[in-house]
Amino acid sequence: MITVNKLMPAGRGLAPVLLKRAATVSLDWDTRQKSRFEAVDSLGRRLGVFLQRGSVVRGGDVLVAEDGSLVRVDAAPQAVMLVRACPHHGSAFDLTRAAYHLGNRHVQIELQPDHLKIEPDHVLGEMLERMHLIVTQEQAAFEPEAGAYAGGHGHDHAGHDHAEHHHHGPAHQHAPAPAQAEGTGRARPVPIPVRGAEHAHVHGPGCSHGHDHQHGHDHGHHHREDHSHQGHDDHHDHGGHAQSHRPI
């Protein structure tokens, strides 16, 4: 038995000529979703596969044996149910609704633009037919959706790596979401420090008008003005330029 403990998703990084020469192994979905299994490749070699726990093998992936040899994985045809919208009085939205109800039942689904694919289940088949969907049974490869939080690579999009996705560059910045107070749905106020200029006075929270302003310059005259400030008295001394505010 040859030990295999490395998986290369979609054979990424390998030269096409190496992929073409590699041995192959055909595995159904029940086997490919396991991290420990045995198989026989196209050269008749018995493989003992020991991958990292949680690994999922997809059609097109490449297994690397302990001797350095490569084994390309094919998704074996298996019994599946294809679910399509009725061409006469249905719409694509019927598939969206079907996917919602199947997802609520934690059913593994392969999503395609014009159909859904699930493993055979006569109870689910009857439910889908009551929703006026067309259900047929076929032999086909099964590649269910990996899930938003799965660690697997799922479907490969045009051969590029998702690690490079959503790079916006320095010109694209996402503003942080407002902080929320714990236990409430309201945004928590974020304190903003207020700092005045070195030569000016800052009117901050709790500021009282009973204070002096020293400006370090002399106007050479003295005058007094009376203003109504709703019961408070302000006195400003400007180094020879004094103002006194008294209620009338």
Side-chain angles (χ1 to χ4, degrees):
M1 179 182 289
I2 300 177
T3 301
V4 175
N5 53 24
K6 184 177 180 180
L7 176 69
M8 301 184 70
R12 193 171 296 124
L14 295 175
V17 64
L18 294 178
L19 293 175
K20 186 176 181 180
R21 294 175 180 174
T24 61
V25 62
S26 184
L27 305 172
D28 62 14
W29 172 244
D30 183 60
T31 301
R32 287 185 287 114
Q33 62 181 316
K34 299 174 182 178
S35 56
R36 305 283 192 276
F37 59 87
E38 293 184 8
V40 177
D41 67 10
S42 58
L43 299 179
R45 301 181 302 174
R46 188 180 174 190
L47 307 176
V49 181
F50 301 91
L51 302 176
Q52 183 178 357
R53 293 198 178 276
S55 298
V56 173
V57 183
R58 299 284 182 174
D61 288 354
V62 174
L63 300 170
V64 182
E66 60 184 345
D67 61 358
S69 61
L70 307 176
V71 182
R72 189 181 71 249
V73 178
D74 293 329
Q78 62 183 80
V80 294
M81 291 199 314
L82 267 65
V83 184
R84 296 184 175 90
C86 176
H88 302 293
H89 63 273
S91 70
F93 178 74
D94 295 335
L95 291 178
T96 302
R97 189 161 60 97
Y100 170 81
H101 287 288
L102 291 171
N104 277 345
R105 290 164 173 78
H106 303 287
V107 177
Q108 292 182 315
I109 314 171
E110 180 179 332
L111 304 175
Q112 296 295 337
D114 61 346
H115 68 271
L116 307 177
K117 195 183 296 182
I118 63 174
E119 292 180 297
D121 186 310
H122 73 279
V123 174
L124 294 176
E126 292 174 359
M127 178 195 76
L128 294 167
E129 289 175 343
R130 288 195 298 271
M131 296 169 63
H132 306 291
L133 291 158
I134 306 301
V135 181
T136 58
Q137 299 210 23
E138 299 183 17
Q139 290 285 323
F142 185 48
E143 295 283 8
E145 193 72 12
Y149 301 101
H153 51 278
H155 299 292
D156 185 60
H157 293 273
H160 58 263
D161 194 338
H162 281 280
E164 299 177 0
H165 263 31
H166 306 296
H167 176 69
H168 301 291
H172 189 107
Q173 298 291 336
H174 291 283
Q180 291 189 348
E182 184 175 356
T184 71
R186 297 189 301 272
R188 186 176 64 226
V190 178
I192 301 176
V194 178
R195 182 174 60 86
E198 295 179 357
H199 62 280
H201 175 79
V202 176
H203 293 267
C207 175
S208 173
H209 287 282
H211 50 263
D212 295 330
H213 294 272
Q214 299 294 336
H215 289 282
H217 62 271
D218 193 352
H219 292 283
H221 62 274
H222 178 81
H223 67 268
R224 186 182 304 273
E225 294 180 3
D226 291 330
H227 300 280
S228 176
H229 282 267
Q230 298 182 356
H232 64 270
D233 182 63
D234 287 1
H235 181 73
H236 301 271
D237 188 359
H238 298 278
H241 182 99
Q243 292 183 341
S244 177
H245 302 280
R246 293 190 181 88
I248 297 176

